[in-house]
Amino acid sequence: MGFRVRDMMKLDIFNEAKLLGGEAGLDNEVRGATIIEAPDIVRFINGGEVLLTRFYAFQACTMEEFSAYFRELAIKRVSAIVIKRGDDVEDIDEKVRFILEFAQEFAVPILEVAFKLSFREILKPILEQLFNEEVKHLKYFKTTYDNFTALEFLRYFASLKGIPKKEAKKRIEMLLSVVN
């Protein structure tokens, strides 16, 4: 089932985080994480990302520009947005209100974390979890590959030895039950 926003919220770094809105998106799959501190970052978003921002990229943009930007993010189907609220961004309260409406409309959870947390501290456990999920998949695929290779290897040698298919199948099943 993959790594979901609700799983991400169980990470220690999010113990103090507040879920501000977008509860309907808690089962959104997380496939990556990135920082949005440049206004053109949306073109690098593939979907499924958790976006981290302190609104610095939006400090001087109008609400129309801000709205257009988040509409593009909705099209990309981001998984969640993690915000750090500073007081150096123009119209921050209005922008947060807009993001909360966005969260409800597009089922994108909005989490607020302490301003003192660095983006690295937030990204690290998310990316570690994603990496661990990938490793699990790779191990599964490797085991599956090895099993099929061994099975085919046994069938091949049974045919070289002239063992009838039915008898070979029985012997292989017996061998695999002992090994597994």
Side-chain angles (χ1 to χ4, degrees):
M1 180 149 180
F3 184 54
R4 308 276 173 199
V5 174
R6 74 175 62 252
D7 303 320
M8 180 188 78
M9 290 177 61
K10 293 174 187 171
L11 297 172
D12 289 343
I13 195 74
F14 291 105
N15 284 345
E16 307 289 319
K18 292 181 225 154
L19 178 63
L20 301 179
E23 294 85 358
L26 289 175
D27 286 320
N28 292 349
E29 185 176 1
V30 176
R31 293 191 300 261
T34 193
I35 300 167
I36 54 170
E37 292 305 330
D40 67 341
I41 195 74
V42 74
R43 65 186 167 141
F44 301 108
I45 304 293
N46 296 316
E49 289 96 346
V50 172
L51 305 179
L52 286 71
T53 187
R54 72 178 236 18
F55 296 100
Y56 189 76
F58 312 110
Q59 67 183 359
C61 73
T62 66
M63 280 309 295
E64 291 77 29
E65 294 166 330
F66 191 71
S67 174
Y69 182 84
F70 275 84
R71 296 289 168 197
E72 286 184 60
L73 291 178
I75 291 168
K76 297 282 187 144
R77 302 187 51 84
V78 298
S79 294
I81 300 173
V82 177
I83 65 172
K84 294 177 12 168
R85 223 185 294 205
D87 58 2
D88 58 345
V89 176
E90 201 174 298
D91 301 321
I92 186 74
D93 292 329
E94 187 178 355
K95 289 173 181 169
V96 169
R97 273 193 300 279
F98 174 84
I99 285 180
L100 294 179
E101 290 171 15
F102 167 86
Q104 294 309 113
E105 183 178 348
F106 296 102
V108 176
I110 306 297
L111 300 162
E112 185 171 12
V113 296
F115 191 77
K116 66 180 181 178
L117 289 176
S118 71
F119 284 138
R120 187 195 66 74
E121 289 175 288
I122 300 165
L123 281 172
K124 186 176 182 249
I126 296 170
L127 296 178
E128 281 176 349
Q129 184 64 40
L130 290 171
F131 179 75
N132 290 340
E133 289 286 322
E134 286 295 315
V135 168
K136 257 194 281 186
H137 285 107
L138 289 173
K139 284 181 179 178
Y140 170 78
F141 293 136
K142 171 84 168 88
T143 301
T144 302
Y145 173 81
D146 290 346
N147 288 340
F148 279 121
T149 301
L151 182 60
E152 197 54 39
F153 181 76
L154 292 171
R155 286 182 184 149
Y156 173 72
F157 276 101
S159 70
L160 285 179
K161 294 286 185 182
I163 300 171
K165 284 185 179 184
K166 202 171 194 177
E167 179 63 27
K169 182 179 178 187
K170 192 184 331 176
R171 287 184 186 185
I172 291 169
E173 287 173 355
M174 183 190 69
L175 180 62
L176 292 177
S177 71
V178 171
V179 175
N180 289 331

